[in-house]
Amino acid sequence: MPIMPDAYILGIESSCDETGAAVVRAGSEILSNVVASQIATHQPYGGVVPELASREHLRAIVPVVRQALAEAGQTYASVDAIAVTQGPGLAGALLVGISFAKALAFALDKPLIAVNHLEGHIHAVLLEQRLGGEGELNFPVLALVVSGGHTHLYLAEERENLWTYRNIGHTRDDAAGEAFDKVAKLLGLGYPGGPIIDRLAAHGDAQAVKFQASQIKHRDRRDHRQDTRQGEEMQPPAQAVGPDFDFSYSGIKTAVLRYVETHDLKPAIAARRQALAGISSPTVEELLKVCDRQTLNLIASFQRAMVNDLVAKTLAAAREYEVRTLFVGGGVASNRELRSTFEREAAMQGLPVYFPPRALSTDNAAMIAAAAYPKFLRREFVAMDFSADAGMALR
Ligand code: KG4
Ligand code: ZN
């Protein structure tokens, strides 16, 4: 299938708490990538409030798209297609992006492309890989999507621009990013917790607190029931049940809570929460000022346990399925210790591992425009009656 080097795709993303718009040329060159974050809106609640998310998307969508076009030197009329996140995500939030994309496509008579948010996280890796001028990609690819809502392993194949995915592992309870967020909240550190823990962990001793393997446990065999918490359908039952590469991160969160209780850390946490209450995005110095050594050691040990588990399970799956390339995407993929551990361990296994640039790990619309490009080449467009799919599976 021919490539179209001059295909300009306008991507729109509104699945959670970031309103994003971007223009990407030929699925690889980012001409603009605008993200309006709602962190300040949700911060007082310690997590995303769906109604507030929809309201903020409504407020931001028009200026964000305008800005993305202007920065790219494009106009509504000059782009070749409009791509939008269909799911998974918050239904009300998704609908804002979808309604706007539909209106644009209808008024401008442009093709409309629906993109799975998780495929976006996977294709964000491709932006980096192409930008880096790397050669051919070797399939099968094993992709770990690790974010606030997902910890999923996919086997990916590509033929004539048709990407197909098979889910071979997912979280049984909390997603990895959710565990980072909940532990940070529990320790009075603010929201979102991942970037805060990432910065503080370097100042603690990761060997200080030992988390038992049983605290990051998961059931041995998948049972193929509907996974309602994630809202994502599971794969139909396979003929033979293979090895299980599922994750589970609610146990480690409980272990941190127990540590806090048994070591009498609650008064210090309350004081920390109060000290940070007036600071919207504290610097690492401000955070360090309110964290004692014991807390820093706990943070470092928690992050090490999370990273070791994510890397060990992913590499075990890579061996089992004899994959030739590893992708790691999603918000948690911007974690520095996760990156360095993956790089070191994958190299020992002779496996190339790719990440998105750190800024493209978290939610953005460039990844949506990038994932739309193979669909654009295949003319895989959607009709005006398509709608949001909050629990959309990736296949
Ligand atoms: O991909 P994303 O922006 O949104 C979802 O699709 O969920 O991921 C957000 C998640 C949050 O849980 C956030 O705490 C986590 O990614 N995160 C990190 C880091 N940066 C963001 N977790 C660990 N280390 C980081 N540096
Ligand atoms: Zn995401």
Side-chain angles (χ1 to χ4, degrees):
M1 208 161 289
I3 57 161
M4 291 182 64
D6 287 325
Y8 291 86
I9 299 182
L10 168 66
I12 295 175
E13 152 67 34
S14 71
S15 67
C16 191
D17 60 344
E18 327 270 5
T19 318
V23 179
V24 176
R25 189 179 70 86
S28 58
E29 188 192 348
I30 302 174
L31 299 179
S32 65
N33 185 28
V34 181
V35 179
S37 170
Q38 304 177 3
I39 285 178
T41 305
H42 302 290
Q43 213 154 30
Y45 306 95
V48 178
V49 183
E51 290 78 8
L52 296 183
S54 309
R55 191 189 71 190
E56 292 301 308
H57 284 306
L58 273 173
R59 235 202 276 267
I61 190 90
V62 174
V64 163
V65 171
R66 267 199 202 130
Q67 189 183 338
L69 288 170
E71 284 181 15
Q74 296 284 314
T75 64
Y76 285 120
S78 68
V79 294
D80 296 290
I82 292 150
V84 65
T85 306
Q86 182 175 13
L90 303 168
L94 288 163
L95 277 173
V96 177
I98 290 173
S99 309
F100 191 63
K102 276 187 191 175
L104 283 182
F106 180 73
L108 302 166
D109 198 19
K110 304 274 182 194
L112 187 58
I113 300 166
V115 175
N116 185 306
H117 181 81
L118 303 176
E119 187 171 24
H121 277 306
I122 293 171
H123 281 249
V125 177
L126 228 49
L127 280 167
E128 169 76 339
Q129 206 246 354
R130 287 193 197 134
L131 284 174
E134 310 274 344
E136 282 279 291
L137 255 186
N138 290 315
F139 289 88
V141 167
L142 178 65
L144 170 68
V145 180
V146 61
S147 69
H150 293 85
T151 309
H152 279 47
L153 278 172
Y154 292 98
L155 279 177
E157 295 277 5
E158 188 258 5
R159 193 160 297 136
E160 295 186 345
N161 290 311
L162 176 64
W163 284 71
T164 50
Y165 304 89
R166 187 174 142 212
N167 179 226
I168 58 157
H170 72 166
T171 179
R172 287 287 174 183
D173 39 56
D174 290 357
E178 197 178 350
F180 273 91
D181 293 339
K182 285 180 175 170
V183 164
K185 188 175 175 182
L186 177 69
L187 297 176
L189 289 166
Y191 170 85
I196 297 173
I197 288 179
D198 186 346
R199 284 181 294 162
L200 288 178
H203 298 270
D205 173 6
Q207 307 293 340
V209 183
K210 300 273 180 257
F211 291 102
Q212 308 298 323
S214 62
Q215 286 164 335
I216 318 180
K217 68 168 188 268
H218 56 97
R219 273 178 284 164
D220 287 342
R221 299 271 162 179
R222 51 183 51 208
D223 59 10
H224 302 291
R225 279 184 316 201
Q226 191 89 357
D227 182 0
T228 46
R229 208 210 65 76
Q230 285 299 314
E232 181 168 338
E233 249 177 74
M234 289 195 47
Q235 302 294 311
Q239 287 298 322
V241 178
D244 168 29
F245 297 107
D246 283 351
F247 304 87
S248 167
Y249 295 119
S250 75
I252 192 168
K253 174 197 67 192
T254 312
V256 172
L257 177 62
R258 209 166 298 133
Y259 185 95
V260 163
E261 285 165 350
T262 53
H263 292 77
D264 201 21
L265 300 184
K266 284 198 168 159
I269 291 171
R272 181 177 310 126
R273 198 168 278 133
Q274 200 163 14
L276 295 175
I279 313 172
S280 67
S281 38
T283 62
V284 72
E285 288 75 23
E286 285 168 325
L287 289 164
L288 284 170
K289 235 183 263 169
V290 292
C291 290
D292 52 75
R293 178 122 315 272
Q294 197 176 22
T295 302
L296 291 172
N297 290 347
L298 177 61
I299 289 167
S301 303
F302 161 76
Q303 178 174 281
R304 174 66 57 83
M306 292 293 295
V307 165
N308 284 349
D309 188 71
L310 285 164
V311 173
K313 280 196 190 125
T314 305
L315 290 182
R319 285 190 295 274
E320 174 69 24
Y321 287 94
E322 298 179 355
V323 303
R324 297 176 68 196
T325 308
L326 202 57
F327 280 15
V328 186
V332 183
S334 68
N335 184 276
R336 287 167 297 183
E337 188 173 337
L338 185 75
R339 284 178 178 236
S340 58
T341 309
F342 256 123
E343 267 157 8
R344 194 180 59 238
E345 303 284 320
M348 280 165 61
Q349 218 165 288
L351 198 60
V353 55
Y354 298 108
F355 303 89
R358 286 190 73 207
L360 295 181
S361 298
T362 46
D363 290 352
N364 66 84
M367 69 187 198
I368 302 303
Y373 180 62
K375 299 180 200 299
F376 178 79
L377 295 178
R378 293 169 48 76
R379 304 186 62 76
E380 203 181 306
F381 306 137
V382 286
M384 279 297 160
D385 61 356
F386 99 97
S387 193
D389 184 352
M392 194 176 185
L394 180 59
R395 296 203 168 89

